[in-house]
Amino acid sequence: MNPADSSERLGQHADQIREEEREDDTNDEDEQDEEMTAEEYLAQQESLVDLASEVLPGEIDKCSYDAGYVKQSVYACLTCAQQNDDQPSGVCYGCFVSCHTTHQVVELFYKRHFRCDCGTEKLPNCCVLQKKVDGTVNEENRYSQNFKGRFCWCGKMYDPEKEDGTMYQCLVCEDWIHDRCMSARTAASKGSGSDLKGQDGDEKTANPSSRDRCMPREDEEYVCRYCVRKVEVLRRYKDLEGFRFVKVDDREEDMAGSEEDREAQAGVHEDGREGEHIAVTKEVKLNYGNDDSKNDENSTKKRPLSSGSSPPSKKQKSNCLVFDNVTLSTSSLYDLFLLPSFRSHLCRCPVCISQYESSGVSFLLSQEVTHDPEDDPTPLESLHDRGMKALGNVERQVAIDGAQAYQTLKDELAAYLRPFAQEGRVVTKEDVVEWFQKKEEEREKAKRA
């Protein structure tokens, strides 16, 4: 899955339509760019409405601000960031569509514990869906490099037109990692030659390539190597059901404790240049629940769960599922892949619970609840149809005045276009713009009179 720009997809579709129109008459391309029949225009609008209903299926008239800090789809508005001293910010689904559609927006997908910034101090005077109290600040929001359009350890800007690979989201830090950065130089010849067995003993893939083994499988979730290094309690689950560790090959790149390590986590080198973190990986554990620690020199060192903790009692030992497990060393990097059942194998003894909380990963203990917009009951309804429906909900006199103004505009426009139809002339964009400009001038003169 890629962090796609939904508004970009709509724009690309519109560009494709225009390109097809230009190709219809290669002998008069310049003129064709400006010409369009009413039927062609209506067909184009219907096509865009269909695409919009597919890409944006939820209701767009509600801001999620009142829901508080929730896990929700977040969109980073780069246009607003540039207008606000490059301050990163994020908006909800409804505000993305209703308030920022014409802006350069990057879809970040789900981010946990996030509150919509639209209309707050970060994005003042933006929200058309809900007015916020002046000076509102979402102090608990956290903004990674993703909010500036950068992703992965390499910190590269995401370009939907150029990106041809696959990206995987880390379950812990929620950054998106390129598959090429996870194992760019892994050769198929490095395969172990053994069959992979799943948790239930079913054969997954016979003789898979090394590259395939260090990528998330269809039903697995992913924790990146830097989060595995940071969260000690996760490193105690080697050889347990539901947990598959893949070790970064020390012979190719050992970044443990190096300056490059910290730069990779930040996404950009100190001098501002973009860098690409590439590492070859090798499989440490092929079978869930099997002990192969004898073949891993860096994982045989037993360490307490926390260096500052007091010696555990016998009761604590008996209640802890991972007390006797080895803790993977931080001298090497490991990617972690989790089967859907991994939560049922997490230890819930008091010591481990304390470790989850202190490490900020207590969300791993249960399936997270997401805040999603309700499905749009009328996804194929055009803006014109919605406008006419809304007209029926306003006060009677206001509705009458609006209907009369609409009818007057319709009659005047029809009178203007009638000569074109009689003479067989094509109505161009300039013709329509010129007419509306004249109407605007007439309205201004009426105001001054």
Side-chain angles (χ1 to χ4, degrees):
M1 184 181 293
N2 290 328
D5 183 342
S6 295
S7 59
E8 184 73 18
R9 291 171 62 187
L10 291 172
Q12 290 173 353
H13 186 70
D15 291 341
Q16 180 181 357
I17 292 175
R18 288 191 289 269
E19 181 65 25
E20 292 172 353
E21 292 165 359
R22 286 194 292 269
E23 293 175 354
D24 288 341
D25 189 358
T26 56
N27 295 326
D28 196 5
E29 184 175 351
D30 293 337
E31 182 179 351
Q32 182 67 22
D33 285 343
E34 305 297 331
E35 296 180 0
M36 181 181 296
T37 66
E39 289 81 2
E40 291 172 338
Y41 176 78
L42 292 175
Q44 172 183 310
Q45 295 307 303
E46 290 179 0
S47 178
L48 289 173
V49 169
D50 291 344
L51 179 64
S53 65
E54 177 183 345
V55 176
L56 307 170
E59 288 190 320
I60 61 175
D61 58 352
K62 294 180 181 178
C63 174
S64 68
Y65 180 83
D66 288 342
Y69 294 94
V70 294
K71 184 171 184 176
Q72 61 178 311
S73 293
V74 177
Y75 302 79
C77 184
L78 303 186
T79 300
C80 288
Q82 293 173 356
Q83 298 172 354
N84 291 277
D85 300 324
D86 290 328
Q87 290 189 69
S89 58
V91 300
C92 67
Y93 171 89
C95 289
F96 155 58
V97 179
S98 300
C99 313
H100 301 264
T101 300
T102 60
H103 297 180
Q104 183 183 1
V105 178
V106 179
E107 184 177 7
L108 307 182
F109 290 87
Y110 285 115
K111 294 289 184 182
R112 66 175 59 90
H113 199 73
F114 195 89
R115 197 173 199 177
C116 181
D117 283 326
C118 193
T120 66
E121 196 71 14
K122 274 186 171 289
L123 297 174
N125 305 320
C126 280
C127 192
V128 300
L129 298 179
Q130 179 181 354
K131 180 175 176 58
K132 277 75 172 182
V133 178
D134 292 341
T136 298
V137 178
N138 294 326
E139 297 181 349
E140 297 181 33
N141 281 356
R142 295 294 179 265
Y143 306 93
S144 66
Q145 63 170 354
N146 295 172
F147 288 83
K148 295 184 178 181
R150 295 183 179 276
F151 296 87
C152 190
W153 312 311
C154 63
K156 288 188 174 180
M157 293 293 293
Y158 178 75
D159 187 340
E161 295 184 355
K162 296 180 180 179
E163 183 61 52
D164 58 358
T166 301
M167 301 179 74
Y168 299 95
Q169 188 179 35
C170 173
L171 182 61
V172 175
C173 67
E174 298 181 303
D175 198 357
W176 290 85
I177 312 301
H178 298 111
D179 55 355
R180 60 180 178 271
C181 291
M182 291 172 66
S183 66
R185 296 196 298 265
T186 299
S189 60
K190 290 187 177 182
S192 67
S194 61
D195 294 342
L196 294 181
K197 300 290 184 179
Q199 179 182 344
D200 300 325
D202 59 317
E203 183 174 319
K204 296 290 184 181
T205 306
N207 301 318
S209 69
S210 178
R211 177 181 175 83
D212 290 340
R213 292 198 309 277
C214 60
M215 294 292 111
R217 298 163 187 161
E218 184 177 356
D219 58 348
E220 291 179 332
E221 295 194 71
Y222 168 58
V223 179
C224 77
R225 58 197 62 169
Y226 296 107
C227 288
V228 172
R229 166 180 283 176
K230 182 175 66 174
V231 183
E232 179 181 352
V233 66
L234 288 179
R235 299 199 307 274
R236 299 187 66 84
Y237 281 88
K238 181 181 180 295
D239 305 325
L240 293 186
E241 284 187 285
F243 300 83
R244 180 170 68 93
F245 288 86
V246 175
K247 181 185 177 186
V248 176
D249 196 333
D250 299 330
R251 297 170 299 175
E252 292 290 339
E253 184 171 9
D254 184 4
M255 300 180 62
S258 69
E259 186 66 24
E260 287 186 340
D261 191 341
R262 292 188 290 273
E263 290 170 351
Q265 294 183 59
V268 181
H269 292 281
E270 287 184 347
D271 61 4
R273 64 187 173 89
E274 294 182 1
E276 184 168 356
H277 173 83
I278 299 176
V280 174
T281 59
K282 67 180 181 180
E283 184 84 1
V284 168
K285 183 175 165 316
L286 297 180
N287 299 318
Y288 292 101
N290 288 347
D291 184 4
D292 59 0
S293 59
K294 295 180 180 179
N295 299 323
D296 184 4
E297 296 178 357
N298 292 315
S299 66
T300 56
K301 182 180 178 182
K302 289 191 177 182
R303 299 189 301 167
L305 192 59
S306 176
S307 57
S309 60
S310 58
S313 64
K314 291 183 178 180
K315 183 177 181 180
Q316 287 176 328
K317 290 182 181 181
S318 62
N319 291 338
C320 183
L321 300 178
V322 295
F323 179 81
D324 292 325
N325 278 30
V326 296
T327 300
L328 291 174
S329 171
T330 57
S331 63
S332 295
L333 293 173
Y334 298 85
D335 284 329
L336 173 59
F337 304 102
L338 306 169
L339 277 177
S341 61
F342 82 92
R343 290 184 175 87
S344 64
H345 300 291
L346 288 172
C347 179
R348 287 170 168 76
C349 76
V351 174
C352 286
I353 291 293
S354 175
Q355 285 291 309
Y356 301 138
E357 293 175 350
S358 62
S359 300
V361 295
S362 55
F363 56 83
L364 294 175
L365 292 169
S366 60
Q367 188 69 41
E368 294 181 88
V369 177
T370 60
H371 178 85
D372 298 304
E374 297 180 3
D375 290 339
D376 191 342
T378 56
L380 299 180
E381 193 174 55
S382 67
L383 291 177
H384 174 270
D385 295 335
R386 294 191 181 193
M388 295 304 294
K389 182 182 294 185
L391 191 63
N393 296 326
V394 300
E395 295 180 4
R396 177 177 175 78
Q397 188 57 48
V398 175
I400 292 174
D401 293 342
Q404 289 176 342
Y406 173 79
Q407 188 62 42
T408 300
L409 180 66
K410 177 181 177 182
D411 293 342
E412 292 177 353
L413 182 58
Y416 172 73
L417 296 176
R418 190 171 294 113
F420 288 87
Q422 294 172 347
E423 299 171 13
R425 288 186 291 150
V426 175
V427 181
T428 65
K429 175 183 177 182
E430 286 73 17
D431 293 326
V432 177
V433 171
E434 181 182 358
W435 184 81
F436 276 101
Q437 287 177 343
K438 288 182 179 179
K439 299 303 296 182
E440 184 67 23
E441 293 172 359
E442 291 175 2
R443 190 173 69 171
E444 292 298 326
K445 289 181 181 179
K447 288 181 179 180
R448 294 192 296 267

